[in-house]
Amino acid sequence: GSGVLVRAYGIRVVGKVANINNRPSFGLFVAASVTIPIPPAIVINEIGGGFFYNPEANDLALVRRMAGLSEAANSLVTASPGSFAVLIYGSATIVEKTLVSGKVLLTITENYFSLHGRVVLLNQENSLKGDIYLAIGFNNGFAEGQINVDLNVVSLIEGKGGMEFYVYGSDAWGIKGNFEAKIIKILNAKTKLFIGNPGFVMDMKVEMGFDIWIIKVGAGFEGTMRYVRNVSWGAYCKAWIEASVLAGV
């Protein structure tokens, strides 16, 4: 839950006491709002931490939600935290909230280390934000990460995209990315990318259209490049320009 302590400190609390399959499972996470200036322009506005014994993955997901961190950037695999989890949380702003604000949660468990973060620019929570995730496994020896970005600047640009990577073994690794944007409601762009042990593939499409009086004009380009290791490779592309008279005239 969350609340206010002595009319000054906002607090967030996640707690658990349970017995699961004859094993005790308990823990506590607490975060409090503070104001700690770090000259010249950084202000720490929230700090927290916690410890869980025999945690479940759902316990740690609840902590992330209470900390206001998105689940959009998260693990590609289901890794058990093991017998314990230590959590360290912090939130800060640069030049108050008018420039940059961000928060980070570090989680150290028996089986892996993870970092979840969020950044908001110009105090535009719904317009200029990004999420980041990184994890490194100890026992299974894996690494993975993600970055997701959302942009929505008035009527200038609307876009979203992301990049992720994973390494689960010498023959199981990859980098994936995607991005799509609409610029001034005229230009649309989309791209997808995969690079990995099997090979690579990249798709791209850009198209634009606008009206001049009773004439509709459109143009675009799309293409694909691919390579499958020891099997094949190829490329495809197409470009077009078209014009038409608007219907009903």
Side-chain angles (χ1 to χ4, degrees):
S2 61
V4 177
L5 181 65
V6 198
R7 298 184 180 180
Y9 301 102
I11 61 172
R12 307 177 195 226
V13 179
V14 176
K16 175 186 180 181
V17 177
N19 189 300
I20 302 173
N21 297 326
N22 294 320
R23 292 195 315 161
S25 177
F26 59 85
L28 180 67
F29 171 84
V30 178
S33 61
V34 297
T35 301
I36 304 176
I38 301 178
I42 298 175
V43 177
I44 296 176
N45 47 41
E46 201 170 18
I47 56 175
F51 176 82
F52 283 78
Y53 179 71
N54 287 332
E56 296 180 292
N58 289 338
D59 302 331
L60 306 183
L62 178 58
V63 171
R64 291 194 294 271
R65 289 196 296 271
M66 286 295 296
L69 292 166
S70 171
E71 294 292 313
N74 210 342
S75 178
L76 305 176
V77 298
T78 302
S80 169
S83 62
F84 71 88
V86 177
L87 303 109
I88 303 172
Y89 170 74
S91 174
T93 58
I94 300 177
V95 191
E96 297 182 345
K97 291 186 177 180
T98 58
L99 186 58
V100 180
S101 63
K103 55 182 65 178
V104 172
L105 175 68
L106 303 179
T107 305
I108 304 171
T109 76
E110 179 184 14
N111 294 330
Y112 63 84
F113 157 87
S114 70
L115 179 151
H116 290 79
R118 163 163 281 207
V119 175
V120 177
L121 302 179
L122 304 177
N123 201 25
Q124 300 296 309
E125 176 70 28
N126 297 321
S127 302
L128 301 170
K129 63 183 179 181
D131 299 297
I132 185 171
Y133 162 74
L134 172 68
I136 299 175
F138 302 140
N139 296 334
N140 296 330
F142 72 88
E144 58 183 21
Q146 292 184 45
I147 297 176
N148 293 324
V149 178
D150 286 319
L151 302 174
N152 187 352
V153 183
V154 196
S155 298
L156 297 178
I157 180 171
E158 298 177 13
K160 61 180 179 179
M163 182 73 73
E164 63 185 59
F165 78 90
Y166 60 87
V167 180
Y168 303 132
S170 59
D171 59 350
W173 62 271
I175 300 171
K176 299 193 295 184
N178 67 86
F179 182 76
E180 58 182 75
K182 178 180 290 186
I183 303 174
I184 321 180
K185 297 183 179 181
I186 295 177
L187 180 67
N188 294 317
K190 297 181 180 180
T191 182
K192 293 182 179 180
L193 170 71
F194 171 80
I195 302 173
N197 185 65
F200 78 84
V201 61
M202 182 176 71
D203 293 323
M204 178 182 296
K205 183 176 183 179
V206 179
E207 57 184 345
M208 63 179 296
F210 55 89
D211 299 337
I212 303 177
W213 191 36
I214 62 171
I215 300 176
K216 183 176 182 180
V217 179
F221 168 87
E222 65 177 281
T224 299
M225 297 178 59
R226 63 177 176 81
Y227 165 73
V228 180
R229 192 177 64 173
N230 299 327
V231 177
S232 65
W233 64 272
Y236 159 83
C237 65
K238 180 178 76 170
W240 69 91
I241 299 177
E242 59 185 9
S244 61
V245 178
L246 296 178
V249 178

